[in-house]
Amino acid sequence: MINLIKLSVGTESVESLQAWHNSPRPKGPDGLPRHITRMWPKREAELLDGGSIYWVIKGVVQARQKLLRLDEVIGEDGIRRCALVFEPELIRTAPVLKKPFQGWRYLKPEDAPPDISARRAKEDALPPELSAALADIGIL
């Protein structure tokens, strides 16, 4: 099993990413949220064996979504692209600082931040920078 990690460009918070995924624009014909990317992951079987996409919001990994499948999408330009299709629910993770990068990257399970507890997920969120700093020193 392997995961993906991707910057969520223009997203301000986990809540704004959830709102985006709940809107009609990112949904495919089946109503599930998806993200279309140029590159088709070569490690498809590993991704679909329980992998997730981890979202970097404002420089901090803050949430993940379980990957369901990869769909082929042919653009108006005739180029084959990949739609990463995932479950609608975002799962909050322990915050981890992440430097900017382009596109998506593979993320090994041992390098992925753990999910936060359901109790913590219901609490008012700390500012991402503070939360990441506390996690970095082992407090969260």
Side-chain angles (χ1 to χ4, degrees):
M1 190 263 291
I2 193 90
N3 301 297
L4 294 177
I5 187 166
K6 176 150 183 25
L7 300 180
S8 185
V9 179
T11 302
E12 296 295 319
S13 65
V14 174
E15 292 77 17
S16 67
L17 179 59
Q18 185 70 68
W20 166 252
H21 285 173
N22 291 342
S23 72
R25 190 163 178 211
K27 293 183 180 174
D30 59 4
L32 292 171
R34 65 186 185 157
H35 174 77
I36 299 174
T37 182
R38 283 187 308 123
M39 304 302 294
W40 195 282
K42 292 182 173 126
R43 300 173 73 178
E44 178 177 358
E46 291 174 86
L47 284 170
L48 299 178
D49 187 26
S52 292
I53 184 165
Y54 284 76
W55 294 106
V56 179
I57 302 168
K58 298 276 211 182
V60 181
V61 180
Q62 297 186 49
R64 71 176 180 90
Q65 285 176 288
K66 183 173 171 38
L67 284 164
L68 297 176
R69 65 178 190 274
L70 307 180
D71 289 349
E72 180 179 69
V73 175
I74 306 295
E76 292 178 13
D77 55 7
I79 295 175
R80 177 184 186 242
R81 292 181 172 82
C82 178
L84 306 169
V85 180
F86 25 82
E87 287 184 353
E89 178 189 6
L90 283 165
I91 300 165
R92 289 182 180 269
T93 65
V96 175
L97 293 172
K98 188 70 178 169
K99 292 181 182 175
F101 59 93
Q102 288 188 326
W104 52 261
R105 301 284 184 265
Y106 290 112
L107 179 66
K108 296 177 190 174
E110 60 268 21
D111 296 334
D115 296 347
I116 62 171
S117 69
R119 181 183 60 78
R120 279 218 40 232
K122 292 178 183 173
E123 295 174 357
D124 288 339
L126 294 172
E129 300 81 12
L130 176 59
S131 190
L134 291 172
D136 196 42
I137 61 173
I139 294 178
L140 287 180

